[in-house]
């Protein structure tokens, strides 16, 4: 394709008919390209992308208005995923399945499929096995004292780096903390909801951060040493 500026320039050149024939015979590789770079970008969108998840026996799943409720031997978990635009259907037959579908989705929208699928799978593991996080107290000189309070729903941390400050961390709903009987200076967090268990562990680790010192030298703190389902250990 010839743009208007090229045709006007060719009209003032001798043998312009021959030049026009050559230009038409050898068009540019991109007909939409001009002297200025084009800002047009084409992104492919899939018409339909789906994911499926099998529901094991002994677990009940109910879905209404993208609110997912999972019941199992260890309790009940509820998640609201209304912020994600997708179809979530419960298919009952010989095997119960959860079907997820995204219509006309872009790359990031399609990525939400595996996210919601993994979220439901973690809920199933939580109500059947449960999640356990292990944390170790690390210190070079001043021993860190961890005191469990309120029947395992609160932990008190003393003598961190020799400080007189007393640190308190409350566990989130459904999470219990206990001292390990097999390992010294080890804490064990258990619960059904992986979000609450992991966030409780992060709160303990975050409150014991070293400040105003070189963290390459001062490595004291309470860190996660292991995590997984309770039945897998």
């Amino acid at each position: 394709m010839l743009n208007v500026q090229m045709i006007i320039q060719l009209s003032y050149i001798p043998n312009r008919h021959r030049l026009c024939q050559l230009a038409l015979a050898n068009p540019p590789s991109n007909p939409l390209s001009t002297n200025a770079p084009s800002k047009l970008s084409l992104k492919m969108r899939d018409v339909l992308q789906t994911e499926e998840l099998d529901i094991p026996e002994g677990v009940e799943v109910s879905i209404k208005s993208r609110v997912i409720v999972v019941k199992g031997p260890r309790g009940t978990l509820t998640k609201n995923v209304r912020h994600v635009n997708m179809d979530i259907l419960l298919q009952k037959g010989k095997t119960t399945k959860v079907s997820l579908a995204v219509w006309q989705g872009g790359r990031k929208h399609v990525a939400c499929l595996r996210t919601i699928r993994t979220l439901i799978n973690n809920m199933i593991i939580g109500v059947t096995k449960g999640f356990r996080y292990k944390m170790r107290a690390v210190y070079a000189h001043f021993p860190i004292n961890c005191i469990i309070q309120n029947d395992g729903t609160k932990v008190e941390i003393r003598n961190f780096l020799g400080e007189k400050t007393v640190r308190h961390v409350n566990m989130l709903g459904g999470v219990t903390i206990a001292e390990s009987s097999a390992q010294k200076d080890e804490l064990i967090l258990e619960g059904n909801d992986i979000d609450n268990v992991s966030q409780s562990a992060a709160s303990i680790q975050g409150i014991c951060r070293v400040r105003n010192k070189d963290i390459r030298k001062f490595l004291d703190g309470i860190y996660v040493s292991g995590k997984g389902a309770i039945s897998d250990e």
Side-chain angles (χ1 to χ4, degrees), residues 53-80:
L53 176 64
D54 293 333
I55 306 301
E57 296 182 359
V59 178
E60 297 181 6
V61 178
S62 61
I63 301 171
K64 183 177 181 181
S65 300
R66 281 178 287 183
V67 176
I68 305 168
V69 180
V70 179
K71 296 181 181 180
R74 290 178 58 92
T76 303
L77 292 177
T78 303
K79 293 289 183 181
N80 188 341

Side-chain angles (χ1 to χ4, degrees), residues 1-6 28 30-39:
M1 295 177 64
L2 296 176
N3 55 30
V4 177
Q5 184 180 2
M6 185 183 298
N30 185 5
L32 298 178
S33 64
T34 58
N35 293 332
S38 175
K39 295 184 180 179

Side-chain angles (χ1 to χ4, degrees), residues 74-77 122-123 125-127 130-131 174 190-194 197:
R74 290 178 58 92
T76 303
L77 292 177
N122 286 337
M123 294 172 68
I125 296 175
V127 298
F131 290 97
E190 293 182 352
N192 297 344
D193 193 343
I194 188 173
V197 177

Side-chain angles (χ1 to χ4, degrees), residues 161 163 209-215 218:
L161 287 179
E163 297 176 358
R209 286 181 296 183
V210 178
R211 303 180 186 275
N212 303 323
K213 293 181 177 65
D214 189 356
I215 60 174
F218 294 86

Side-chain angles (χ1 to χ4, degrees), residues 6-59:
M6 185 183 298
I7 295 174
I8 294 174
Q9 291 176 352
L10 290 175
S11 62
Y12 295 100
I13 300 176
N15 300 325
R16 57 184 179 274
H17 298 292
R18 178 59 180 164
L19 291 174
C20 288
Q21 292 176 357
L22 292 174
L24 292 172
N26 300 297
S29 58
N30 185 5
L32 298 178
S33 64
T34 58
N35 293 332
S38 175
K39 295 184 180 179
L40 179 63
S41 60
L42 301 177
K43 295 183 179 179
M44 294 296 294
R45 287 179 175 268
D46 296 320
V47 177
L48 177 63
Q49 284 286 340
T50 60
E51 285 280 350
E52 288 186 350
L53 176 64
D54 293 333
I55 306 301
E57 296 182 359
V59 178

Side-chain angles (χ1 to χ4, degrees), residues 63-227:
I63 301 171
K64 183 177 181 181
S65 300
R66 281 178 287 183
V67 176
I68 305 168
V69 180
V70 179
K71 296 181 181 180
R74 290 178 58 92
T76 303
L77 292 177
T78 303
K79 293 289 183 181
N80 188 341
V81 293
R82 289 176 178 170
H83 59 283
V84 182
N85 185 18
M86 67 170 58
D87 294 338
I88 306 178
L89 301 176
L90 186 63
Q91 300 177 352
K92 294 185 178 179
K94 293 183 179 179
T95 58
T96 306
K97 294 182 179 180
V98 174
S99 177
L100 311 172
V102 167
W103 295 84
Q104 301 289 343
R107 180 176 60 87
K108 291 186 178 181
H109 193 187
V110 171
C112 295
L113 282 171
R114 286 298 291 272
T115 300
I116 302 301
R117 182 184 182 276
T118 304
L119 186 146
I120 300 173
N121 188 45
N122 286 337
M123 294 172 68
I124 294 173
I125 296 175
V127 298
T128 53
K129 301 178 180 179
F131 290 97
R132 173 183 294 160
Y133 273 56
K134 294 182 179 180
M135 305 189 72
R136 291 287 301 275
V138 179
Y139 50 87
H141 179 73
F142 297 101
I144 302 174
N145 300 326
C146 299
I147 304 171
I148 309 300
Q149 298 178 346
N150 296 345
D151 297 330
T153 59
K154 183 178 180 180
V155 61
E156 181 182 280
I157 302 170
R158 292 177 176 267
N159 202 36
F160 175 68
L161 287 179
E163 297 176 358
K164 298 299 183 182
T165 304
V166 180
R167 294 167 169 83
H168 300 274
V169 180
N170 294 317
M171 300 295 103
L172 297 179
V175 181
T176 59
I177 184 172
E179 294 182 357
S180 175
S181 58
Q183 181 68 45
K184 181 184 177 183
D185 297 327
E186 185 178 59
L187 300 176
I188 297 179
L189 288 77
E190 293 182 352
N192 297 344
D193 193 343
I194 188 173
D195 293 339
N196 290 351
V197 177
S198 59
Q199 183 57 57
S200 298
S203 298
I204 295 175
Q205 181 173 338
I207 206 171
C208 294
R209 286 181 296 183
V210 178
R211 303 180 186 275
N212 303 323
K213 293 181 177 65
D214 189 356
I215 60 174
R216 297 171 297 180
K217 181 65 176 178
F218 294 86
L219 302 175
D220 293 29
I222 304 177
Y223 303 100
V224 175
S225 60
K227 56 186 176 180

